[in-house]
Amino acid sequence: ARAQDLHAKLTLFSMQDHADLSDRLALMRDLRGALAQDQMFLCYQPKLRARTNHVDGVEALLRWRHSERGVIPPDQFIPLAEETGQIRALTEWVLEQALRDQAHLRDAGHEISFSINISGRLLAEQSFADWALATVRKAHGRIAFEVTETAVIDDPDGALRNLRAFADAGIWIAIDDYGSGLSSLAYLKALPANELKIDKMFISGLTSSHRDPLLVRSTIELAHALEMEVTAEGVETPAALALLRVMGCDIVQGFLIARALPINELETFLTRQHHRSDPHSLPTFKRP
Ligand code: C2E
Ligand code: MG
Ligand code: MG
Ligand code: MG
């Protein structure tokens, strides 16, 4: 009976594994047609300068409107795209679309920078880097690239060479999700970065845990000593925002300020913020 029980469990597991695998394969298959079928779109999450409450820039975040599954978040398809190599086409689409949206906002009087997430594999690819540089230049884009430290591990020489070329061309470099991975001081020493984004796992416990505020404060000091700006991601409460201000955090981003918005809602957000009577009050649009 025991053996039978075990056998039943094993069969159950493998059936689940099989379901997961075929689900992944189905998503991979659908992903191949997603760009051609116009199923990708961008949302933009505002980044607020903490001292002035002005929108400094936005981060482009990719969404996939799947024909049967609805909107799929990037955590569920970016890893697949990285495995299949489609990340290159996706990222090129993201950059081109973001530059179009930036030009549109510029025409409407909103001059802000746009941050784009660049996957590790791509960062070291020479032909991608050449293309990205030329594309940003041609559009006179005000662009930041967000990269994770792990992005540099695969091919450190290639990644560093491209990061330097980006930085020389005036592209702002941000280290994303800082503290969540294998944060090594060696990378901080070597990367030509302008901005450090503290991972939201440290921001959510900012006013409830003992250690998080200490880690955040010393990270802000470290980044400032290296002449980097500091962004806190995942700011969800007024208490966290207040503490980050006291700690001297430069830029804040999170649901408290705004979620990632479609371009038309972003434009409304920017226009309202522009006309706010008290520029030092927080924008109240789309707060949960
Ligand atoms: P990320 O670059 O670290 O982006 C921040 C994520 O945190 C976003 O999730 C954002 O919606 C979410 N977030 C923002 N504020 C809050 C908050 O206050 N609380 C909480 N709990 N979450 C918040 P999203 O849009 O699902 O993106 C997830 C990840 O997918 C991104 O993390 C990024 O690594 C990746 N990603 C998104 N778009 C792209 C893209 O175009 N290319 C690449 N390579 N990766 C992308
Ligand atoms: Mg990011
Ligand atoms: Mg991040
Ligand atoms: Mg992240």
Side-chain angles (χ1 to χ4, degrees):
R2 254 191 116 99
Q4 227 170 26
D5 207 41
L6 188 64
H7 183 255
K9 265 187 194 148
L10 286 176
T11 327
L12 205 68
F13 271 117
S14 74
M15 274 168 69
Q16 185 56 48
D17 289 347
H18 183 264
D20 288 348
L21 185 65
S22 61
D23 200 52
R24 272 167 60 83
L25 290 175
L27 266 189
M28 276 187 184
R29 185 199 58 213
D30 297 347
L31 192 57
R32 258 179 254 133
L35 274 180
Q37 292 178 54
D38 215 17
Q39 294 174 341
M40 292 292 169
F41 65 102
L42 287 175
C43 286
Y44 296 101
Q45 188 177 35
K47 298 172 74 175
L48 212 68
R49 192 151 285 276
R51 213 161 34 77
T52 61
N53 266 336
H54 275 103
V55 178
D56 216 63
V58 292
E59 177 176 3
L61 293 162
L62 190 57
R63 305 284 181 259
W64 177 13
R65 193 180 291 106
H66 190 278
S67 51
E68 286 129 44
R69 300 177 197 229
V71 175
I72 304 180
D75 286 334
Q76 283 177 40
F77 66 85
I78 292 286
L80 298 182
E82 288 172 348
E83 273 175 54
T84 59
Q86 287 173 87
I87 191 65
R88 168 103 185 235
L90 278 181
T91 308
E92 292 183 353
W93 182 86
V94 169
L95 184 58
E96 287 178 326
Q97 184 61 44
L99 286 166
R100 276 193 292 274
D101 287 337
Q102 184 172 55
H104 166 76
L105 286 184
R106 193 184 290 138
D107 288 345
H110 304 293
E111 183 63 52
I112 55 171
S113 97
F114 275 44
S115 298
I116 311 287
N117 291 286
I118 306 288
S119 284
R121 301 267 154 80
L122 268 186
L123 193 60
E125 242 179 70
Q126 189 61 54
S127 62
F128 169 78
D130 293 342
W131 174 87
L133 268 180
T135 304
V136 172
R137 270 211 191 101
K138 204 167 68 198
H140 303 290
R142 220 175 113 192
I143 295 294
F145 284 161
E146 297 193 0
V147 304
T148 59
E149 300 147 290
T150 40
V152 183
I153 291 175
D154 277 354
D155 178 359
D157 295 339
L160 274 175
R161 189 188 53 233
N162 288 338
L163 281 173
R164 288 207 192 90
F166 293 145
D168 288 345
I171 293 173
W172 185 261
I173 307 294
I175 299 177
D176 205 356
D177 300 341
Y178 183 77
S180 71
L182 307 158
S183 305
S184 147
L185 291 178
Y187 290 113
L188 282 190
K189 182 177 148 90
L191 290 182
N194 311 93
E195 176 185 353
L196 196 71
K197 299 188 75 175
I198 303 178
D199 193 82
K200 52 181 173 288
M201 72 187 281
F202 301 99
I203 307 302
S204 57
L206 204 55
T207 53
S208 57
S209 97
H210 180 64
R211 286 195 173 183
D212 288 0
L214 298 174
L215 290 169
V216 169
R217 196 185 60 198
S218 51
T219 302
I220 291 173
E221 279 166 14
L222 175 64
H224 282 169
L226 294 168
E227 294 178 327
M228 293 186 205
E229 291 213 300
V230 184
T231 296
E233 54 175 39
V235 180
E236 295 185 349
T237 64
L241 177 63
L243 190 55
L244 286 163
R245 284 215 167 94
V246 170
M247 290 175 171
C249 182
D250 303 292
I251 296 161
V252 287
Q253 192 181 8
F255 294 164
L256 175 70
I257 295 121
R259 288 171 187 272
L261 307 167
I263 182 68
N264 57 325
E265 289 181 37
L266 172 67
E267 199 175 341
T268 310
F269 180 89
L270 293 171
T271 306
R272 285 197 193 176
Q273 128 113 20
H274 199 75
H275 293 298
R276 252 179 313 125
S277 50
D278 175 9
H280 295 290
S281 70
L282 258 190
T284 49
F285 189 67
K286 279 263 161 170
R287 269 213 248 169

